[in-house]
């Protein structure tokens, strides 16, 4: 989507709300809580604000059925799109938990994800999260008006290579705003200078996913949950940003 002058305050407010909701769900992600309760919390917070959970009932391209929940919750070797409410699980000490949610505020959608560690966690998990978030920030820094999609991809890839993680290349970022997934697709690996030009007003979601092992993922029989092929752990961070003439504006930041 290319945001108009009227759209910008709406995506800003939607982004601010989503950031607060993800923060609240992250704080509730402690050992002993169920994913069903976390999903219910996300849904309540969204609806209390008068907004709409965008993922419930959404059928992505290629999926055989609509997504059944408000939020995606993905554990450890699960990379993205874990379903929290069909076979709820209890968060355990040390779990790496990805939280990914999309909200519709006044008709416009914003998308964000964070990964947290339940309880204390181990130092390797903390390093993985830190590197993935670093890649997100590097991708955002590269997403200036006039730059190309490949500049974002290359910036993410460079961090993954430098930190020695598997860079999930089969999934990536996307345009957002009018629907959950729009053009352009924003790969997590690529060549600087290549791909579509980023123009001021574009609203896009950037979402690196790193793993401790293989970059390859496979889809589970539920049709949604992607896991690493070798069972290694993964992390995922995502922001929706507004492309401007200069540095991008992060819409889903607190
Ligand atoms: Mg997302
Ligand atoms: Mg996304």
């Amino acid at each position: 989507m290319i945001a108009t002058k009227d759209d910008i305050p709406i995506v800003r407010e939607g982004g601010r709300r989503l950031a607060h909701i993800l923060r609240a769900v992250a704080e509730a992600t402690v050992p002993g809580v169920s994913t069903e309760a976390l999903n219910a919390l996300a849904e309540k917070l969204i609806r209390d604000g008068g907004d709409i959970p965008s993922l419930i009932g959404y059928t992505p391209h290629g999926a055989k059925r609509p997504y059944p929940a408000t939020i995606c919750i993905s554990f450890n070797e699960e990379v993205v799109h874990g379903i929290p409410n069909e076979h709820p699980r209890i968060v355990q000490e040390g779990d790496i938990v990805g939280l990914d949610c999309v909200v519709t505020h006044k008709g416009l959608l914003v998308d964000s994800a964070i990964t947290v560690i339940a309880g204390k966690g181990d130092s390797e998990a903390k390093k993985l999260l830190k590197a993935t978030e670093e890649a997100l920030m590097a991708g955002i820094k590269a997403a200036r008006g006039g730059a190309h999609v490949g500049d974002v991809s290359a910036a993410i890839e460079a961090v993954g290579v430098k930190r020695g993680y598997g860079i999930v290349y089969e999934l990536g970022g996307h345009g957002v705003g009018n629907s959950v997934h729009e053009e352009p697709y924003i790969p997590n690996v690529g060549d600087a200078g290549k791909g579509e030009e980023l123009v001021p007003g574009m609203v896009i979601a950037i979402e690196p996913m790193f793993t401790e092992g293989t970059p390859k993922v496979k889809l589970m029989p539920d049709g949604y949950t992607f896991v690493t092929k070798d069972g290694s752990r993964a992390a995922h961070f995502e922001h929706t940003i507004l492309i401007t003439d200069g540095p991008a504006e992060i819409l889903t930041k607190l």
Side-chain angles (χ1 to χ4, degrees):
M1 158 179 128
I2 305 289
T4 65
K5 254 194 159 56
D6 292 339
D7 293 335
I8 290 171
I10 297 175
V11 287
R12 268 192 194 130
E13 176 62 15
R16 195 188 65 82
R17 290 178 179 210
L18 178 54
H20 279 279
I21 288 160
L22 276 180
R23 164 68 68 88
V25 176
E27 282 171 359
T29 303
V30 295
V33 74
S34 81
T35 52
E36 192 165 38
L38 295 173
N39 182 63
L41 172 64
E43 179 158 0
K44 182 185 187 315
L45 293 171
I46 293 167
R47 294 202 191 276
D48 283 354
D51 296 324
I52 300 166
S54 324
L55 295 178
I56 302 177
Y58 172 68
T59 307
H61 182 72
K64 292 192 177 68
R65 61 176 182 133
Y67 190 74
T70 287
I71 189 166
C72 301
I73 304 185
S74 309
F75 285 82
N76 304 316
E77 79 284 359
E78 296 173 355
V79 182
V80 286
H81 304 165
I83 300 172
N85 57 349
E86 287 187 340
H87 304 283
R89 47 195 281 194
I90 303 295
V91 173
Q92 306 293 324
E93 174 71 36
D95 275 339
I96 296 177
V97 186
L99 306 166
D100 187 0
C101 193
V102 185
V103 162
T104 304
H105 174 65
K106 295 188 176 167
L108 298 180
L109 289 80
V110 288
D111 183 0
S112 184
I114 53 175
T115 299
V116 298
I117 299 168
K120 281 177 67 182
D122 56 90
S123 61
E124 289 301 312
K126 286 172 194 160
K127 274 200 265 179
L128 171 66
L129 268 58
K130 197 174 164 215
T132 313
E133 195 167 19
E134 181 189 346
L136 171 60
M137 298 320 289
I140 292 170
K141 201 173 166 194
R144 301 174 69 95
H148 291 259
V149 166
D151 295 311
V152 176
S153 309
I156 291 169
E157 182 178 358
V159 174
V161 169
K162 186 167 132 197
R163 302 288 178 216
Y165 289 111
I167 307 161
V168 175
Y169 61 86
E170 294 162 280
L171 301 164
H174 50 90
V176 66
N178 290 318
S179 67
V180 178
H181 292 113
E182 299 173 18
E183 294 296 318
Y185 176 63
I186 303 174
N188 288 323
V189 297
D191 298 323
K194 298 276 175 66
E196 190 172 330
E197 187 178 334
L198 300 174
V199 297
M202 269 176 112
V203 179
I204 59 172
I206 297 179
E207 48 181 318
M209 295 148 229
F210 285 177
T211 82
E212 290 181 316
T214 182
K216 292 199 161 131
V217 296
K218 66 176 181 194
L219 188 60
M220 295 301 279
D222 67 14
Y224 277 99
T225 312
F226 282 96
V227 299
T228 55
K229 263 194 165 160
D230 61 359
S232 63
R233 301 184 301 180
H236 173 219
F237 284 85
E238 176 177 26
H239 274 307
T240 295
I241 66 172
L242 173 68
I243 303 300
T244 75
D245 287 322
E249 179 181 335
I250 303 176
L251 297 168
T252 47
K253 199 174 171 178
L254 283 177

